[in-house]
């Protein structure tokens, strides 16, 4: 269905948990977050019903995110349930990859079409400090297992943090030479923890593009400008939510772990879906789609979400 501004809304992102085994410095508070009561979190059945209702309104693409979606019990059942609603739904997961290796094949068999794996550094020590304790090798094992399980076009999401991992840009680009990996460099957004970060930590899309002088612009893929270096198998995409407004073509809505529909990532506007079923659920989703804001303005207090990124899912 279309929103009030004529945008066709086809993409639903489900944040299936706000919990995570990492505490990335720009995403989660060091102390973690207060665990919500079991009853306040949507069950796997409730998520399934939301997908069924959203599908009846024209949603055709679903992405599971979090927190870390792979810490959520029942996530594989949810994948199977979603594919049972319509096997043509494009189902993706965004994960930190650390828990992927043992279940990559199971996810593939459950119908997951695409995996985006977040990886901000190729250096063990920097990895440990960005994630506050994570082990790089776990994620590398996850990437290998995903390739072996038959996931094609793996995307690697990298948030560039000036002075922390920007020196590795060329190392990341080199990864695309011999492997069909699709890098996505993402501008840091002032949300959650990063809302209070100094401006000099934020790298612009233009400064990232400066490293791609020999690259060829291949496509505009949704919100990414996609480049390839001559002779490289993979691609390099740049996603610049701070530099470019995606609002006119935004086709997404989001649901938080506690069942709030967020028509816009950056707005505090939320519609409670918890406890709703059948027609009432479809009606609430349709209301949320219609009410999707026309655009957002970063940095304005009146136009910025109070939630942390691990609750919304990126
Ligand atoms: N835990 C999973 C992961 O890390 O992929 C899924 C959830 S995480 C919130 C989704 C994506 O959001 C990750 O790629 C992460 O790097 C990104 N992210 C978190 N905070 C961000 C911020 N302030 N600006 C830009 N991206 C952010
Ligand atoms: Fe966890 Fe992902 Fe946030 Fe890192 S970015 S703390 S892995 S939710």
């Amino acid at each position: 269905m279309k929103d009030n501004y004529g945008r066709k809304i086809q993409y639903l992102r489900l944040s299936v948990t706000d919990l995570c085994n990492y505490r990335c410095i720009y995403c989660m508070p060091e102390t973690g977050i207060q665990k919500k009561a079991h009853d306040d979190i949507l069950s796997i059945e409730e998520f399934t019903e939301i997908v069924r209702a959203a599908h009846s309104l024209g949603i055709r693409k679903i992405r599971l995110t979090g927190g870390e979606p792979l810490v959520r019990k029942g996530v594989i059942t949810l994948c199977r349930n979603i594919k049972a609603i319509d096997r043509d739904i494009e189902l993706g997961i965004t994960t930190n990859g650390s828990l992927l290796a043992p279940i990559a094949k199971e996810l593939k068999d459950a119908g997951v079409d695409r995996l985006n794996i977040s990886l901000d550094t190729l250096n063990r020590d920097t990895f440990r400090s960005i994630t506050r304790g994570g082990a790089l090798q776990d994620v590398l094992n996850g990437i290998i297992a995903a390739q072996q399980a038959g996931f094609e076009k793996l995307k690697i999401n990298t948030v560039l943090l000036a002075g922390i991992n920007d020196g590795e840009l060329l190392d990341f680009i080199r990864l695309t030479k011999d492997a069909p990996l699709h890098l996505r460099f993402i501008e840091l957004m002032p949300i959650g923890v990063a809302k209070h970060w100094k401006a000099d930590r934020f790298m612009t899309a233009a400064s990232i593009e400066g490293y791609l002088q020999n690259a060829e612009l291949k496509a505009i893929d949704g919100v990414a400008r996609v480049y390839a270096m001559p002779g490289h198998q993979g691609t390099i995409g740049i996603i610049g939510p701070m530099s470019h407004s995606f609002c006119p073509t935004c086709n997404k809505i989001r649901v938080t772990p506690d069942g709030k529909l967020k028509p816009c990532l950056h707005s505090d506007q939320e519609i409670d879906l918890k406890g709703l079923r059948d027609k009432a659920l479809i009606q609430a989703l349709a209301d949320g789609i219609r009410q999707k804001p026309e655009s957002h303005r970063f940095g304005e207090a009146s136009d910025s979400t109070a939630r942390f990124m691990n609750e919304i899912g990126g």
Side-chain angles (χ1 to χ4, degrees), residues 23-86:
R23 299 276 178 275
C24 298
I25 51 174
Y26 54 87
C27 176
M28 280 262 228
E30 184 163 16
T31 47
I33 49 151
Q34 179 119 37
K35 197 166 184 242
K36 291 191 171 68
H38 181 73
D39 286 351
D40 292 338
I41 294 293
L42 292 179
S43 66
I44 294 299
E45 293 69 31
E46 286 172 313
F47 273 118
T48 306
E49 285 316 306
I50 288 172
V51 172
R52 197 185 310 282
H55 180 259
S56 76
L57 294 170
I59 293 290
R60 293 294 178 267
K61 185 171 166 187
I62 307 272
R63 178 160 292 273
L64 308 186
T65 172
E68 173 47 44
L70 302 189
V71 306
R72 174 69 203 246
K73 235 173 149 180
V75 71
I76 294 175
T77 305
L78 179 58
C79 294
R80 284 196 202 104
N81 293 353
I82 291 170
K83 282 301 206 178
I85 291 167
D86 176 356

Side-chain angles (χ1 to χ4, degrees), residues 76-125:
I76 294 175
T77 305
L78 179 58
C79 294
R80 284 196 202 104
N81 293 353
I82 291 170
K83 282 301 206 178
I85 291 167
D86 176 356
R87 58 195 286 262
D88 290 334
I89 287 177
E90 187 187 316
L91 176 60
I93 298 183
T94 298
T95 170
N96 65 30
S98 62
L99 305 170
L100 185 57
I103 58 166
K105 177 79 172 59
E106 228 181 320
L107 289 171
K108 182 78 186 155
D109 293 345
V112 177
D113 298 295
R114 288 172 182 274
L115 283 180
N116 289 11
I117 300 174
S118 302
L119 179 61
D120 295 333
T121 171
L122 301 170
N123 177 289
R124 251 184 342 187
D125 296 332

